[in-house]
Amino acid sequence: MGDGEAMWLGSYDLAQSADVVGMAKVRAILMAIAVALSGGGFGAGMSQAQAADLPEPAVGKPGPEGDYLRLIHERLHAGWVDGFIRISPYKQLGASTSKRETEVSIALRWDGTVEKAEITKASDAADFDAAALNAVWFAAPFPPPVNVMADDGLVHIKWHFARDYRLCSAAEMVHVEYPLQLALPSLVSRGALSEAVRRMRDEIDRKGWTGDFLSPFIRQWLSRSNLSSDMDTRAAAALAGGGDRRQLRVLETALLSQQTAAVAASALDRLGVDVGALLAKALAGEFAESRRPAVLIALRAVPTAAARCATCLEALAAAVVNPRQPTRARVEMIIILGDAEQKDTVAQALAHVAKDPNPTIRGAALLAQIPRGRGRVGVIRMAPLLHDSQPEIRAAAAAGVLRAGGDAGIEQLFLLGRERDPRPVIAAAAELGRMSSEASIQLLHRLLKRPDKAVRAAVVAALASRHDEAARALVDPVLQGARANVDEDASIREIAISGASPAELVGMSTDSRLGLSVYRALLRSELRSEGAQWLLRNVEQLSPEDRITAFGDWIAGPGMGATPPATPTATPAVTRGMPPAASMPAATA
């Protein structure tokens, strides 16, 4: 006896049938089964091939729910088609075009076992209905569900079993949803971000922004354990920015790890903690040498901390001459040393790296050695380097002559008119943004006409950073146009955010290129409803790091820095189941 015969015979008591119709009737049924399994047809001119003229439709829609329905269908199909449809006599089943259909309501537990299965819409044949139920029970247990459970801890499905070509392809999930405030804690515990976001978006669509359900959800989400110390530190920083002072101890510990030092240092600095004092203590302790790499990373994240930590400057001076350090890290350390008081140790380190074979390192060191307002001596030292063959050196020279001589340095920049590499022009623009003279504004005006997008963005940034009327007169029309023009360069639109009106911010919030900048501007303007809609629309597309940052921005918003609100104590019953914070740079060696 084949598997199909055994399945069918298991659903009926043949011994009882024998008492009623006799053994001859039983033998006739078995003969019909054998003929059907051997391809003998369903009778009266109906062949198995004819019954399968139309293919069974695809099961479920794209997405997690459809994926799970298709997994169940893989289990159900054989029991229904091979275990009932193909072995049942044609006279009993009727034509393959029959609309006979049974609906079974199924409830599955978290492990895929069946909690309940019952007929909710019966056909006109008891044996047809019984076979549909048997197909479910014989196929169980099903694969454990992932991200498709209802709020009561079960998966609810309506499954249709048909005689015609549809067979067992029609199925749909039934959503059992609790009120949002009760559902969100359960969704957090399951890590079901997509479902939580969908519920919150639906809530806003139905009722508008009538209450802040986001804050308790975000605090609960951030309190979950992550898969890395970096993510845990970012979550602690976000919670601390939202008023949870218990996270300070977590951040102070994270400050001493290379993986988390940058995040922790930035967060502690925003919270008003003296990071320099903490780093000085780390370098004075028993484990100073092992903590030195983390201290260097923290200093690059919070350069101002070096001014309050003499031992930190010595550590930077020792590290910056090490050629094994990455170029980016060395440049960042050079800049910090250049802004510090150049005592012997610092001056010697800068002089050493000013001879480095790497032009990027050498250019940064040359510029760092030029104090602001040094005058003619500095201009004379840097001006010849404007002719250097390396663009990195020309960039340092362009910034250096302006830093040292101000307007006197502008006279040396006539070569910028013939410069084809954007780096010297961009470096000069950054220094011109710190000046306020007529000559500097005239040069910025000329540079603004350059076609290079990077140069134009740098000039606009320089003009926007100035406070004189001449600079505002030049840059305001550019920024005003950028707020309305979605085709404008994204970096210029980002600069334009700061002066945008509430209406302009709402319009700009649809530009995905602006990222967290426009979201933060919405929160700064106390457009909480619009900020919530931006967050729920974009949160799943954000990187894990930016997602935590965005969550932190929300709870650190106006009025959100106090004691965390209490979360709902009632949770869904499970039936037998289970200024906004600045972005945090990743720690780099």
Side-chain angles (χ1 to χ4, degrees), residues 256-258 282-283 285-295:
L256 304 179
S257 167
Q258 293 184 62
L283 289 175
E286 179 182 356
F287 304 102
E289 197 58 36
S290 62
R291 292 172 176 172
R292 186 180 297 268
V295 169

Side-chain angles (χ1 to χ4, degrees), residues 41 143 151 191 259 261 268 342 365 380 523:
D151 288 347
Q259 288 72 34
L268 289 168
Q342 296 191 12
I380 291 174
L523 298 185

